[in-house]
C-alpha cells in the first residue's frame, strides 16, 4: 500500500492522497461519502483568482469575500489543493464560504506571501474541495497604498470517484468493511468546521 | 516545492523613441501589460528590472516613467532618470531605483527634449502572475 496521507511534506510536487482504485471517505461538513477513486490527474500551478476582481484593493482595507470558483470541481470529483498568494495581502480562507478555515479559538490564521519561506511545501495550506462546494477568500491590505490585485496560485490534484453506497458501483460489503477498519481508506476533509461544531 | 513567487519571467519591451519637445503630452507606451482576455485566467503585472536610455542629441535632461494614459503620463512610478546628451544610460532595479510593480501599461517621456533630438528607451521587466 503506498504511503499516502494528507498534509505530507516532501521535496517536489506533493503526493496525491489516493491512487486508482483506492477507497476514500469524503467528509463534507457533517456528511460522509464512501467512494472509490477511478481517475486522478495532477493540476499544474495556476492563477485561480484575483480576489479584487481586477479592481485592486485600497490601502488598509479588507476585501469582500470572493468565492474561488476555479477551485470547484465537477460532480463526483474532489480536488486537493495547496495554494499561496503572489500579492502582499493577508488572505483569510473560508471553506465552504460560510466557515472559516485555520480557525483557532481567538484567531483565524491568515496566509501571506511569507508562506513560501516558512512552509515551502505549502503543507499547511492544503485543502480538499468536494464538487462545487465554494471555497472562498478575503484579502486584507495592511499597506498604506493600494494593491493592484490580490492573486492566488493553486497547485494540486483532481480525483474522479465512484459511489460505493448507491448506483451501479455500489458495494455494501466493502463499505461495511471500511467502516469496521478491515479495508484501507483515506479520509478526505472537504470543508472547515465551525468552532464547537 | 519552493515555487516562483515574485520573480516572474524576464522579457524586454520594444525600442521606443521619446520625441521632442518632451513633457507628459509626449508620453508613449514603452511596455504593454500582457492581456489574456479570451484565453486563460491570469492577471499579469510587471516589475521593472532595467531601463536603458540612449540620448540622440536631446540635450541633458531626465526621463520619467508613469502609468497614465498615452499623452497623460502621470502618475510617475519612478524618480526622474538622468539622460545625458549623446550618451547611453542604463539603470538597474537592484542598484539604481526601487523595485516597482505595475498593473498598467508603462509610459515614458522626456522632461525636455531638444528640437530634432530623441531619446531611445527600452525596458526589461519581469512578468508576474
Amino acid at each position: 500500500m503506498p504511503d499516502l496521507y494528507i498534509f505530507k511534506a516532501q521535496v517536489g510536487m506533493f503526493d496525491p492522497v489516493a491512487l486508482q482504485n483506492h477507497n476514500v471517505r469524503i467528509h463534507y461538513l457533517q456528511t460522509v461519502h464512501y467512494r472509490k477513486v477511478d481517475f486522478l490527474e495532477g493540476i499544474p500551478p495556476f492563477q485561480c483568482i484575483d480576489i479584487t476582481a481586477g479592481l485592486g484593493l485600497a490601502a488598509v482595507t479588507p476585501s469582500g469575500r470572493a468565492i474561488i470558483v476555479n477551485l470547484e470541481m465537477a460532480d463526483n470529483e474532489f480536488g486537493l489543493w495547496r495554494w499561496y498568494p503572489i500579492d502582499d495581502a493577508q488572505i483569510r480562507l473560508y471553506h465552504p464560504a460560510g466557515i472559516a478555515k485555520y480557525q483557532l479559538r481567538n484567531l483565524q490564521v491568515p496566509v501571506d506571501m511569507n508562506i513560501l519561506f516558512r512552509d515551502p511545501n505549502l503543507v499547511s495550506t492544503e485543502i480538499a474541495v468536494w464538487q462545487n462546494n465554494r471555497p472562498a477568500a478575503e484579502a486584507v491590505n495592511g499597506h498604506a497604498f493600494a494593491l493592484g490585485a490580490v492573486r492566488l496560485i493553486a497547485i494540486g490534484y483532481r480525483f474522479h470517484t465512484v459511489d460505493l453506497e448507491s448506483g451501479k458501483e455500489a458495494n455494501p460489503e466493502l463499505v461495511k468493511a471500511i467502516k469496521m477498519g478491515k479495508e484501507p481508506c483515506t479520509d478526505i476533509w472537504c470543508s472547515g468546521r465551525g468552532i464547537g461544531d | 516545492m519552493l515555487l516562483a513567487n515574485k520573480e516572474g519571467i524576464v522579457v524586454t519591451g520594444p525600442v521606443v523613441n521619446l520625441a521632442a519637445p518632451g513633457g507628459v503630452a509626449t508620453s508613449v507606451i514603452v511596455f504593454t501589460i500582457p492581456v489574456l482576455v479570451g484565453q486563460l485566467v491570469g492577471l499579469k503585472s510587471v516589475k521593472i528590472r532595467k531601463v536603458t536610455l540612449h540620448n540622440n542629441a536631446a540635450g541633458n535632461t531626465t526621463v520619467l516613467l508613469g502609468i497614465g494614459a498615452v499623452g497623460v503620463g502621470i502618475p510617475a512610478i519612478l524618480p526622474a532618470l538622468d539622460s545625458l546628451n549623446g550618451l547611453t544610460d542604463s539603470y538597474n532595479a537592484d542598484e539604481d531605483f526601487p523595485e516597482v510593480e505595475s498593473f498598467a501599461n508603462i509610459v515614458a517621456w522626456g522632461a525636455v527634449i531638444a528640437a530634432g533630438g530623441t531619446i531611445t528607451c527600452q525596458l526589461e521587466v519581469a512578468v508576474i502572475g
Side-chain angles (χ1 to χ4, degrees):
Chain A
M1 197 66 188
D3 188 19
L4 303 176
Y5 50 88
I6 62 172
F7 304 129
K8 192 171 188 179
Q10 64 201 92
V11 175
M13 173 70 177
F14 66 105
D15 278 351
V17 287
L19 298 176
Q20 182 83 12
N21 286 326
H22 285 192
N23 305 320
V24 291
R25 182 163 37 211
I26 294 169
H27 301 256
Y28 175 69
L29 299 175
Q30 302 290 22
T31 62
V32 179
H33 307 285
Y34 290 85
R35 306 186 74 95
K36 181 189 289 286
V37 173
D38 70 342
F39 173 81
L40 74 157
E41 63 180 348
I43 305 294
F46 69 107
Q47 191 183 131
C48 61
I49 191 173
D50 168 11
I51 295 173
T52 73
L55 300 176
L57 185 54
V60 200
T61 302
S63 74
R65 194 172 304 173
I67 293 178
I68 312 173
V69 294
N70 289 323
L71 294 186
E72 293 184 353
M73 307 302 291
D75 289 350
N76 299 308
E77 296 186 4
F78 71 91
L80 185 73
W81 303 114
R82 296 183 182 186
W83 61 276
Y84 63 98
I86 59 169
D87 295 293
D88 194 12
Q90 290 193 326
I91 313 298
R92 298 183 190 126
L93 188 71
Y94 295 82
H95 186 31
I99 294 183
K101 284 286 283 181
Y102 320 139
Q103 179 66 57
L104 310 180
R105 181 175 181 228
N106 296 312
L107 173 70
Q108 182 184 2
V109 176
V111 174
D112 62 28
M113 294 175 72
N114 280 316
I115 193 74
L116 289 168
F117 304 106
R118 295 168 176 165
D119 178 9
N121 289 305
L122 303 171
V123 180
S124 57
T125 68
E126 186 172 306
I127 62 169
V129 177
W130 172 236
Q131 299 185 147
N132 59 341
N133 283 309
R134 309 184 321 282
E138 294 172 349
V140 181
N141 178 9
H143 284 295
F145 51 82
L147 294 173
V150 181
R151 298 163 290 182
L152 305 183
I153 304 296
I155 181 174
Y157 291 94
R158 167 191 170 214
F159 299 85
H160 187 277
T161 63
V162 295
D163 191 353
L164 295 175
E165 297 174 289
S166 63
K168 64 180 182 180
E169 302 283 345
N171 189 337
E173 291 78 21
L174 177 57
V175 172
K176 185 177 178 182
I178 292 172
K179 288 179 177 176
M180 294 175 68
K182 293 180 177 176
E183 287 288 337
C185 181
T186 303
D187 288 278
I188 315 290
W189 286 274
C190 293
S191 73
R193 189 161 183 170
I195 292 290
D197 188 6
Chain B
M1 198 208 326
L2 186 57
L3 302 165
N5 49 18
K6 277 286 192 185
E7 296 310 309
I9 305 299
V10 176
V11 299
T12 53
V15 176
V16 176
N17 277 326
L18 312 181
V24 291
T26 62
S27 59
V28 291
I29 291 176
V30 290
F31 194 86
T32 302
I33 299 287
V35 176
L36 303 180
V37 173
Q39 298 181 44
L40 303 172
V41 171
L43 177 68
K44 301 291 187 183
S45 58
V46 298
K47 198 170 66 175
I48 302 173
R49 286 169 46 96
K50 184 183 287 187
V51 181
T52 298
L53 306 172
H54 180 66
N55 187 311
N56 310 293
N60 293 335
T61 185
T62 57
V63 168
L64 293 109
L65 301 177
I67 52 173
V70 171
V72 176
I74 55 175
I77 54 174
L78 285 177
L81 304 173
D82 286 335
S83 178
L84 303 180
N85 191 38
L87 297 181
T88 298
D89 295 286
S90 189
Y91 299 93
N92 291 289
D94 292 340
E95 298 111 26
D96 304 315
F97 58 81
E99 285 195 345
V100 174
E101 185 177 5
S102 174
F103 288 81
N105 294 341
I106 299 171
V107 297
W109 65 97
V112 178
I113 294 181
T118 61
I119 296 175
T120 306
C121 176
Q122 187 175 31
L123 302 191
E124 177 185 285
V125 305
V127 180
I128 296 163

